[in-house]
Amino acid sequence: MHPAIQGLLTIAFGVGGCVGYFYFSNLVLDRVIFPARGAHIARNIRRANMIRPWLFLLPALLALGLYLAYPVVETLRLSVTERVPGGGSEFVGLANYQQMLAEAKFWEALQNNFLWLLVVPAASTAFGLLAAQLTDRLVWGNIAKSLIFMPMAISFVGAAVIWKLVYDARPEGTDQIGVLNALYIYFGGDGPMRWLTIPFWNSFFLMMVLIWIQTGFAMVILSAALRGIPEETVEAAIVDGAGPFQIFFKIKVPQIMDTIVVVWTTITIVVLKVFDIVFAMTNGQWETQVLANYMYDKLFRANDWGVGSASAMVIMLLVLPILVWNVYNARREMR
């Protein structure tokens, strides 16, 4: 069968299945389970109306259970078991967690993740806020916003390839195609540097990639928040003699603080799950390991599912509180 026809049939069956489910489930509820007739008509209608939302939510709940809850439970099970020769597994308690905590690579990954957490969300939010404030004042602000937002359309791996070219180092005496080395030598540097192999500083070179991507996201959200500030408050500050910096830091920033926090926490969650950039640029070498890459190494290279799953649980435990708080904050802002 032609792929296009196959695709159209899939869409038709998918949409038809959804429409059919909602129509027939509604029909069964109203005509068979709780019919709107007889001596208990009022009670039946009330019960049908109570059940109807859950009936419509059922497919989504099943999908969430299959693709979200089940993997979490299975990962938890794998983290406390160990594969045995010949197939199967046996319960080992917290032995995988103890083994993970005894590895220097895990602590290196944890330390690097905290370093990423300190730098990337703060820098992305600050640059995004700065870009939002400055572009709103420019005639060609929309073009500038489009250019700053463009990296969001690039995958993390694609961005990593682009920045690898920026950090590229060719042998001494040859033309440098890496922008950073070209500038370094132009301003009197001794020779081309392999930036991604310099411990500690190489983590910052990797962070630059994520900051470059996330600044556009922060700018768009914060720009909308800045435009929502009542003009009266700014005009009142100007009448009182406030300067541009005072208006920005004492009038505008406090009014959009909730949005700033939401942007910061959203980027924090992205940072905790960062994998692609490190994998594509250094693969965790030269002391750039992060938790997600450590988990990948254990699961798919060392084939150690117990320790790999334990590290996955650590990532989930780090992400979960921020995620819950972010959702709570977003819902509070919507109210």
Side-chain angles (χ1 to χ4, degrees):
M1 185 182 292
H2 195 278
I5 298 174
Q6 197 174 356
L8 287 173
L9 284 176
T10 304
I11 294 171
F13 278 117
V15 174
C18 291
V19 173
Y21 169 77
F22 290 121
Y23 176 77
F24 287 109
S25 62
N26 214 30
L27 202 66
V28 169
L29 186 68
D30 288 335
R31 301 281 178 85
V32 179
I33 302 175
F34 296 113
R37 60 178 179 273
H40 304 293
I41 181 171
R43 188 186 67 183
N44 286 351
I45 291 174
R46 189 172 63 253
R47 288 182 177 178
N49 287 335
M50 286 173 62
I51 292 175
R52 201 181 318 278
W54 293 104
L55 197 63
F56 290 172
L57 282 173
L58 185 62
L61 292 175
L62 288 175
L64 277 175
L66 182 63
Y67 293 108
L68 193 63
Y70 170 70
V72 170
V73 174
E74 182 63 10
T75 305
L76 180 61
R77 186 189 70 80
L78 288 171
S79 72
V80 292
T81 58
E82 186 176 357
R83 287 181 171 180
V84 293
S89 59
E90 64 179 13
F91 180 73
V92 294
L94 298 176
N96 289 322
Y97 289 92
Q98 289 172 340
Q99 182 185 337
M100 180 182 70
L101 294 174
E103 291 187 9
K105 234 8 183 175
F106 169 75
W107 291 107
E108 177 193 314
L110 196 63
Q111 183 181 345
N112 282 333
N113 263 91
F114 277 113
L115 190 62
W116 280 69
L117 281 178
L118 283 176
V119 176
V120 177
S124 301
T125 307
F127 286 138
L129 182 59
L130 186 66
Q133 172 66 15
L134 294 179
T135 52
D136 277 343
R137 292 169 170 268
L138 297 174
V139 177
W140 46 279
N142 288 334
I143 298 173
K145 281 181 182 174
S146 302
L147 293 174
I148 295 170
F149 187 72
M150 204 173 288
M152 279 292 291
I154 303 173
S155 69
F156 283 4
V157 174
V161 171
I162 292 169
W163 280 85
K164 269 190 96 168
L165 291 173
V166 173
Y167 300 140
D168 188 71
R170 293 296 169 93
E172 196 167 355
T174 60
D175 291 337
Q176 298 296 319
I177 64 166
V179 175
L180 196 55
N181 266 319
L183 289 172
Y184 179 68
I185 292 172
Y186 178 79
F187 286 107
D190 297 331
M193 300 284 289
R194 297 193 177 279
W195 304 104
L196 296 179
T197 64
I198 304 172
F200 184 71
W201 296 108
N202 50 9
S203 289
F204 289 94
F205 293 129
L206 298 182
M207 291 176 205
M208 278 300 300
V209 184
L210 195 52
I211 292 171
W212 180 62
I213 295 173
Q214 293 296 322
T215 295
F217 162 75
M219 178 199 66
V220 169
I221 304 295
L222 295 173
S223 178
L226 283 171
R227 290 188 176 188
I229 294 175
E231 282 295 326
E232 294 81 7
T233 57
V234 178
E235 289 169 1
I238 294 171
V239 170
D240 289 341
F245 285 100
Q246 287 175 311
I247 291 173
F248 180 70
F249 287 108
K250 294 186 177 179
I251 304 297
K252 291 185 176 180
V253 170
Q255 292 191 66
I256 62 167
M257 187 53 73
D258 286 343
T259 309
I260 291 174
V261 172
V262 169
V263 169
W264 185 85
T265 50
T266 304
I267 298 174
T268 299
I269 292 169
V270 175
V271 169
L272 280 169
K273 298 184 294 183
V274 67
F275 165 73
D276 320 53
I277 294 169
V278 176
F279 181 76
M281 296 185 77
T282 63
N283 198 18
Q285 299 180 88
W286 307 297
E287 301 180 16
T288 58
Q289 187 67 290
V290 291
L291 283 172
N293 201 59
Y294 173 83
M295 177 192 72
Y296 178 85
D297 279 345
K298 289 296 178 186
L299 284 173
F300 301 110
R301 289 191 174 127
N303 207 24
D304 189 344
W305 287 75
V307 175
S309 300
S311 58
M313 293 306 299
V314 170
I315 295 172
M316 193 193 75
L317 288 175
L318 290 174
V319 170
L320 200 59
I322 303 170
L323 187 65
V324 170
W325 188 84
N326 206 15
V327 171
Y328 168 78
N329 203 40
R331 293 185 66 179
R332 190 188 65 178
E333 196 167 317
M334 286 173 66
R335 285 197 295 270

